[in-house]
Amino acid sequence: MKKPNAPQPKTGGPTQKGQCAKRVSILDAAADVFCREGFAGASIDEIAMEACVSRQTVYNHYREKETLFMAVVQDIMDRANAALFSILATFPDNGDNLEDDLTAFAVRLNKNCVCNHDGKFIRKLVQTEGERYPHLFEIWRQQGPGKIGTALSALLARLSHVARLDIDDFDLAAKQFLALVNADLPMNSFFGGVPTDEELEKAARAAVRTFLRAYGGKPAKGAGQVEELREEPV
């Protein structure tokens, strides 16, 4: 007679799910309070109240305010990076319609990574708290700006093999592309405003045209040889 199978341990039960829900609620509430009050002005009591949990529950999950703040930054960065790399996957891979393709890419980048809620949140925190508490933003420095620059540099290097691009320093070109993409956005978009689709398109188009004027000078394959032949005396 076969013995009945031993019961398997359950995972993700009510207690575990409840703890996870509390953790998410605490992070969301803390993000709102830190953004509104700054690191120094935020209190654990206010965060607990907005998260609808006890003060002790916050401390059970995050031993102190600094630990909670860094967890909030990490949570935002994880979401921001997920959005970023999904956009980077749409970078053009041929030079058939370079201006339009790069413009569309720049619009997606600004709309989903720069001007979205997470982008505005982390930018505001860095601007208001970064100088006073630089160690709190080490995660952001390591996983934020550096990642997009490195990834975009590699994409530009790949694109230069198939498109009319003349780039000597891909890291510098990536930084300049990102600076140009943000340069013509309405100022209020950096302080909570939401740019319209028309404003995003206009800023992206201007950025790409400037970028291509600087780096779009490589002649198509064979063009140089044709010009040389034309210049030879008959």
Side-chain angles (χ1 to χ4, degrees):
M1 183 174 180
K2 288 185 178 179
K3 292 182 180 180
N5 293 330
Q8 297 298 311
K10 294 181 179 179
T11 58
T15 301
Q16 189 176 3
K17 289 179 179 177
Q19 292 298 319
C20 183
K22 285 182 181 178
R23 184 178 291 270
V24 171
S25 179
I26 292 169
L27 283 175
D28 288 344
D32 289 340
V33 175
F34 282 130
C35 193
R36 186 172 65 243
E37 307 293 342
F39 177 75
S43 71
I44 294 296
D45 287 333
E46 187 175 4
I47 292 169
M49 186 180 300
E50 292 207 14
C52 298
V53 299
S54 69
R55 188 172 191 268
Q56 189 57 48
T57 298
V58 177
Y59 281 118
N60 287 343
H61 285 279
Y62 305 98
R63 301 177 305 277
E64 57 187 4
K65 186 168 74 168
E66 183 172 311
T67 304
L68 176 55
F69 184 87
M70 288 190 287
V72 168
V73 173
Q74 181 68 68
D75 185 55
I76 297 294
M77 286 305 310
D78 287 344
R79 291 204 304 266
N81 281 332
L84 170 62
F85 284 102
S86 70
I87 298 303
L88 288 174
T90 69
F91 191 81
D93 55 6
N94 64 70
D96 296 344
N97 198 9
L98 200 53
E99 182 181 318
D100 288 343
D101 289 346
L102 281 175
T103 297
F105 169 79
V107 168
R108 290 190 295 271
L109 187 66
N110 272 337
K111 190 170 187 177
N112 297 286
C113 300
V114 177
C115 298
N116 67 342
H117 179 269
D118 288 339
K120 292 175 185 175
F121 172 82
I122 198 69
R123 191 161 54 248
K124 181 177 179 181
L125 280 182
V126 171
Q127 288 170 345
T128 57
E129 306 294 317
E131 187 174 345
R132 285 180 290 180
Y133 308 102
H135 66 289
L136 296 179
F137 293 95
E138 192 59 34
I139 294 171
W140 176 77
R141 279 191 292 272
Q142 292 175 355
Q143 301 183 22
K147 272 194 171 184
I148 183 172
T150 301
L152 188 57
S153 173
L155 291 170
L156 285 171
R158 185 187 71 185
L159 182 62
S160 71
H161 289 295
V162 295
R164 293 176 55 123
L165 292 176
D166 187 11
I167 302 175
D168 294 323
D169 187 333
F170 293 105
D171 290 337
L172 177 61
K175 292 175 184 176
Q176 291 173 336
F177 182 85
L178 293 171
L180 287 168
V181 163
N182 295 325
D184 204 30
L185 283 176
M187 204 55 162
N188 68 337
S189 67
F190 291 95
F191 300 98
V194 179
T196 64
D197 289 344
E198 290 76 16
E199 288 172 333
L200 288 170
E201 166 73 23
K202 180 182 176 183
R205 181 75 61 181
V208 168
R209 285 178 175 171
T210 301
F211 183 82
L212 291 179
R213 277 197 292 271
Y215 291 113
K218 185 171 70 175
K221 289 182 179 180
Q225 290 88 336
V226 172
E227 290 300 320
E228 288 176 7
L229 287 174
R230 286 177 181 171
E231 291 175 4
E232 287 180 2
V234 179

